[in-house]
Amino acid sequence: MLCARYQKRLPDRLEDLDGSTQGTVDLPLHVAWSGRRSHSLDGTRARMGLHRTALAEGQREDLEAVLNRDLLVAQWPVLRTLVSRSLRGAWEAAFPQLMSERGASGA
């Protein structure tokens, strides 16, 4: 059973995720209410932190503004192991291409 909490936040298409691919991203306070708010996109760990926080706490508008489709797809094979089962299930059910990317990468 998929968690409605995450389903209602999903973008209509992965292509709607048009956030930056470089520089620094500052998450809004309602998304990063505890911990780091500013994330550099230059390093893999910082991107993972940004993605984990945004996916877990962001609303649809936040996800579309902050996340980038290409970065999310590239990091999904590892990122999927770092998020909750319900979050992962909602995203993979809505966007099967995330699973095919995982299979293609061998992860």
Side-chain angles (χ1 to χ4, degrees):
M1 181 169 153
L2 297 179
C3 182
R5 172 183 179 202
Y6 297 115
Q7 284 180 311
K8 67 182 182 181
R9 298 177 184 185
L10 295 173
D12 292 330
R13 307 170 308 135
L14 284 179
E15 290 75 17
D16 293 339
L17 303 176
D18 62 355
S20 183
T21 60
Q22 54 187 325
T24 301
V25 174
D26 296 318
L27 292 171
L29 187 56
H30 68 271
V31 175
W33 47 269
S34 174
R36 174 184 267 182
R37 290 186 58 210
S38 185
H39 298 268
S40 170
L41 295 175
D42 296 335
T44 302
R45 278 192 180 179
R47 283 193 310 268
M48 286 288 183
L50 168 71
H51 284 118
R52 286 181 66 195
T53 302
L55 290 169
E57 303 297 334
Q59 297 300 314
R60 179 184 307 231
E61 298 80 19
D62 302 316
L63 299 173
E64 290 174 354
V66 169
L67 299 180
N68 176 276
R69 179 221 178 269
D70 294 337
L71 291 179
L72 179 70
V73 168
Q75 290 196 181
W76 191 256
V78 173
L79 185 60
R80 71 181 306 275
T81 68
L82 303 175
V83 298
S84 71
R85 184 175 297 150
S86 55
L87 188 152
R88 178 176 59 243
W91 278 82
E92 290 178 350
F95 307 112
Q97 62 267 47
L98 291 173
M99 290 301 296
S100 62
E101 287 292 331
R102 184 173 74 94
S105 70

